[in-house]
Amino acid sequence: MATLIETTTRNDWTREEIADLFDLPFDELMYRAQTVHRAHHAPSEVQLCTLLSIKTGGCPEDCGYCSQSVAADSGVKATKLMDVQAVLQRAAEAKDAGSQRFCMGAAWRNPKDRDMDAIIQMIAGVRGMGMETCMTLGMLTPEQAQRLGEAGLDYYNHNIDTSPERYGDVITTRTFGERLDTLENVRSAGINVCCGGIVGMGETRADRVGFVHALATLPRHPESVPVNALVPVKGTVLGDMLADTPLAKIDDIEFVRTVAVARITMPLSMVRLSAGRESMGEATQALCFMAGANSIFTGDKLLTAGNRGDSADAALFAKLGVRPMEAPEPMRVCEAAE
Ligand code: SF4
């Protein structure tokens, strides 16, 4: 008898339910993920986003995976905040290349009030081009979030990174609770939330269950859920720990399972394949799309890590019959999201 597949949005997932999803036979998991995906999203459409580092390196946080931390010996040079016009030029190029969303990232613990005017001008300029705006600037006070919301920022990215239990092994300079506080400030300001994390940091399956559970039980699911595969960078804590241990790399099938479980538990969210795609085979990416991933970063560079490049993506899309999403998701979708 066919199993009835629930496609509605819930925020009361238990860890046991999520662990059971991870444990499903792969074909059953994929079938459920596809069913949920097709109930809410156009199949064969993938959103294209472009990411630009507007202020690189010299970050006082100690995220163990990040080459931009002052704690990392990665050779990344610290820069100042980019000039507004230079950012807008890059946004225009991204739009010409087909991007629907322009994401701007600054390696800060939190933005300084003196930087806010330039940030606001960037938001206004990119929105004026008809693109969605997303920023990731570190922790936000309620007042800063409010200013960004009033400026029309569409999305704010702030990742929980991993499970609450594993979190302290990866970052010590700010707590899991502080991450949730910033997410709350972003929500209160009426900005859509982009929040996900990284797998392949040496965590266990139980941590991946805890990571998805933390996202899927937020009072409102993030509108975007980036799922990254760790890119081990020499000089970072995790890069040095894992780079020479090939077995530590996340197993492709386990990565696809994580994407599928994110899709099933957060049916309305855009699930984004983020870092780690450069080293991912085409077949694995195809499985991720089948599992419900419907957003990618374009270009040949993320904040500092490499990415696949537009021509490789176009070739893969052509092979798979995947189309770039034509219109952005409705802006300011908070009210309608659930
Ligand atoms: S991930 Fe962000 S907050 Fe953490 S060290 Fe890197 S730039 Fe700083």
Side-chain angles (χ1 to χ4, degrees):
M1 199 171 67
T3 315
L4 185 64
I5 298 174
E6 193 174 10
T7 61
T8 53
T9 301
R10 294 171 45 198
N11 302 72
D12 60 351
W13 290 95
T14 65
R15 285 198 181 215
E16 291 69 30
E17 286 175 308
I18 293 174
D20 287 348
L21 289 173
F22 267 97
D23 284 343
L24 282 171
F26 190 69
D27 60 341
E28 176 66 22
L29 176 63
M30 295 293 277
Y31 172 60
R32 291 197 193 188
Q34 260 290 303
T35 305
V36 172
H37 186 68
R38 284 166 181 259
H40 299 284
H41 304 271
S44 313
E45 283 195 2
V46 172
Q47 178 193 48
L48 306 183
C49 308
T50 298
L51 179 60
L52 175 68
S53 178
I54 59 173
K55 190 272 163 200
T56 305
C59 182
E61 302 291 310
D62 70 349
C63 309
Y65 51 81
C66 182
S67 60
Q68 301 197 70
S69 166
V70 288
D73 183 17
S74 59
V76 170
K77 288 204 171 53
T79 66
K80 291 188 174 149
L81 181 64
M82 277 176 77
D83 174 68
V84 174
Q85 285 312 318
V87 171
L88 298 185
Q89 173 64 36
R90 297 289 290 275
E93 291 166 10
K95 183 174 164 65
D96 287 346
S99 260
Q100 292 109 25
R101 186 181 299 181
F102 195 64
C103 309
M104 295 160 268
W108 285 326
R109 175 173 168 79
N110 49 263
K112 305 267 187 316
D113 285 341
R114 64 168 184 257
D115 296 312
M116 290 299 281
D117 287 344
I119 294 290
I120 300 293
Q121 288 173 39
M122 291 173 195
I123 295 168
V126 175
R127 286 197 105 225
M129 294 175 198
M131 298 174 83
E132 287 184 322
T133 51
C134 179
M135 287 207 153
T136 180
L137 312 170
M139 294 189 286
L140 293 182
T141 63
E143 295 73 27
Q144 288 173 326
Q146 208 63 42
R147 267 199 85 186
L148 295 177
E150 285 163 8
L153 181 67
D154 298 294
Y155 288 80
Y156 193 79
N157 165 263
H158 199 61
N159 291 336
I160 59 167
D161 287 345
T162 186
S163 68
E165 296 75 23
R166 173 85 174 133
Y167 182 90
D169 297 334
V170 179
I171 301 126
T172 67
T173 48
R174 60 181 161 191
T175 64
F176 197 85
E178 285 175 310
R179 301 258 178 164
L180 298 182
D181 290 344
T182 289
L183 293 176
E184 177 61 33
N185 294 340
V186 169
R187 275 278 177 234
S188 300
I191 303 168
N192 295 307
V193 167
C194 171
C195 182
I198 307 173
V199 295
M201 297 197 292
E203 77 281 343
T204 61
R205 161 73 72 83
D207 287 317
R208 288 187 282 281
V209 169
F211 160 61
V212 175
H213 178 259
L215 294 171
T217 55
L218 286 170
R220 188 187 292 274
H221 294 162
E223 281 75 21
S224 287
V225 177
V227 181
N228 298 275
L230 179 73
V231 178
V233 177
K234 279 221 178 292
T236 62
V237 174
L238 287 167
D240 288 347
M241 201 189 298
L242 301 173
D244 301 324
T245 318
L247 287 178
K249 179 181 177 289
I250 185 78
D251 175 76
D252 284 347
I253 298 296
E254 182 70 7
F255 185 80
V256 177
R257 282 185 183 275
T258 308
V259 169
V261 175
R263 165 50 67 226
I264 293 167
T265 53
M266 293 172 278
L268 298 175
S269 306
M270 304 293 286
V271 177
R272 179 172 312 125
L273 287 186
S274 300
R277 243 177 12 100
E278 192 187 28
S279 60
M280 207 177 277
E282 289 189 336
T284 303
Q285 292 183 69
L287 284 173
C288 288
F289 294 138
M290 289 176 67
N294 60 349
S295 180
I296 60 168
F297 279 125
T298 59
D300 56 12
K301 196 173 174 200
L302 298 175
L303 286 173
T304 57
N307 197 29
R308 276 175 53 87
D310 292 345
S311 53
D313 284 335
L316 179 60
F317 277 26
K319 277 190 211 179
L320 300 177
V322 165
R323 299 179 300 279
M325 204 170 277
E326 281 188 9
E329 287 283 288
M331 291 192 185
R332 326 293 292 165
V333 292
C334 293
E335 302 77 18
E338 289 166 18

